């Protein structure tokens, strides 16, 4: 199959799974540095996997988001809420229109390189919390990209209707070592184990039947 796609990859579980699952179709991987608390730790993972797969990888700075956007994810580790991954707890971590900005840039890069698709790893578990992960947004953004490019570039988002545990099951079949991915919103050397993303990560790996070798600062309350 032709390598006709750009992928947005953070170095987290979801985009790393997408990277491996569709590696034969990816011509270019993009990681955006927008100054979030976990951005640096994730970025190291993204570089590692792209180098391993021989996929060209670029990092694009979006420093303006850290300067002008309001989100706990753009503040300090102490601003990140702890507890369950739910609407009330995680809403403060929304970076306004983050996926819209990233998809627009990736679309321009795709057209500049003669590519036809932009891959993104949003999933069903994000829908309630993050508006720019929802099916309606992805569909509308894809239509806007098609209308706004000569090549009719589209979004390819195959995980939109499945859960993070389902994604982990894909990764299990692919043999992905998820200890080489990073999720924690606090951005420390080890995953905190207490924030919503750490809890979601633990739950997904447990549901997928994957032994979790991630290093956490605290024990799993459900173990």
């Amino acid at each position: 199959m032709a390598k006709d796609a750009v992928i947005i990859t953070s170095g987290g579980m979801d985009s790393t799974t997408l990277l491996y699952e569709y590696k034969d179709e990816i011509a270019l991987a993009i990681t955006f540095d927008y100054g979030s608390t976990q951005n640096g730790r994730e970025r190291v993972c993204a570089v590692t996997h792209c180098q391993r797969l021989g996929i060209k990888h670029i990092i694009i700075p979006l420093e303006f988001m850290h300067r002008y956007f309001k989100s706990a994810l753009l503040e300090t580790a102490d601003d990140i809420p702890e507890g369950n991954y739910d609407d009330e707890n995680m809403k403060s971590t929304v970076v306004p229109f983050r996926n819209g900005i990233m998809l627009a840039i990736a679309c321009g890069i795709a057209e500049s390189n003669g590519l036809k698709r932009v891959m993104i790893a949003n999933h069903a578990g994000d829908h309630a919390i993050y508006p720019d992960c929802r099916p309606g947004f992805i569909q509308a953004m894809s239509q806007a990209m098609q209308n706004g490019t000569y090549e009719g570039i589209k979004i390819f988002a195959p995980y939109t209707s499945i859960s993070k545990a389902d994604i982990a099951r894909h990764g299990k079949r692919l043999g992905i070592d998820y200890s080489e991915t990073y999720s924690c919103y606090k951005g420390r050397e080890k995953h905190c184990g207490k924030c919503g993303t750490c809890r979601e990560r633990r739950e997904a790996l447990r549901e997928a039947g994957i032994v979790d070798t991630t290093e956490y600062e605290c024990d799993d309350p459900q173990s």
Side-chain angles (χ1 to χ4, degrees):
M1 182 173 291
K3 290 181 179 287
D4 67 350
V6 169
I7 185 172
I8 298 172
T9 182
S10 66
M13 282 181 61
D14 310 322
S15 62
T16 298
T17 306
L18 189 67
L19 183 75
Y20 276 84
E21 188 161 10
Y22 293 95
K23 63 183 186 298
D24 294 335
E25 303 174 31
I26 298 168
L28 177 64
I30 304 172
T31 298
F32 292 99
D33 180 1
Y34 55 95
S36 70
T37 49
Q38 92 281 25
N39 224 188
R41 302 290 301 172
E42 281 188 314
R43 192 163 60 246
V44 171
C45 295
V47 169
T48 296
H49 291 292
C50 288
Q51 287 179 344
R52 184 175 298 161
L53 294 173
I55 294 173
K56 182 179 178 182
H57 177 239
I58 59 175
I59 298 171
I60 297 179
L62 298 177
E63 188 269 344
F64 72 90
M65 293 174 72
H66 185 267
R67 291 180 61 192
Y68 298 115
F69 287 20
K70 180 67 175 177
S71 169
L73 203 60
L74 302 176
E75 300 298 331
T76 68
D78 292 337
D79 295 302
I80 302 298
E82 296 177 356
N84 293 328
Y85 192 86
D86 57 38
D87 188 19
E88 288 307 311
N89 190 46
M90 297 299 291
K91 193 172 182 181
S92 67
T93 66
V94 172
V95 180
F97 208 64
R98 175 182 61 181
N99 282 349
I101 293 165
M102 294 179 180
L103 285 164
I105 294 170
C107 176
I109 290 174
E111 185 159 49
S112 296
N113 287 273
L115 305 173
K116 298 184 180 300
R117 293 181 296 158
V118 175
M119 295 184 178
I120 188 170
N122 61 299
H123 62 83
D126 291 332
H127 294 173
I129 302 164
Y130 302 109
D132 56 1
C133 287
R134 296 170 186 165
F137 170 79
I138 295 296
Q139 292 164 10
M141 191 71 183
S142 185
Q143 187 63 59
M145 286 162 54
Q146 289 178 65
N147 291 343
T149 55
Y150 284 112
E151 294 296 326
I153 294 167
K154 301 178 182 179
I155 295 173
F156 180 62
Y159 300 160
T160 301
S161 299
I162 67 174
S163 70
K164 197 177 191 77
D166 290 328
I167 294 172
R169 292 183 184 98
H170 285 226
K172 185 178 181 180
R173 291 194 296 271
L174 293 164
I176 295 173
D177 179 359
Y178 282 120
S179 70
E180 297 183 320
T181 65
Y182 193 84
S183 301
C184 182
Y185 273 178
K186 290 184 180 289
R188 295 195 281 256
E189 182 175 351
K190 293 182 180 181
H191 286 69
C192 74
K194 296 182 289 185
C195 71
T197 50
C198 280
R199 288 175 177 239
E200 184 199 35
R201 177 190 181 96
R202 281 175 153 167
E203 182 179 345
L205 293 172
R206 184 167 49 245
E207 286 185 23
I210 296 172
V211 176
D212 189 355
T213 58
T214 307
E215 289 191 87
Y216 296 99
E217 293 178 351
C218 69
D219 294 331
D220 186 348
Q222 297 188 43
S223 63

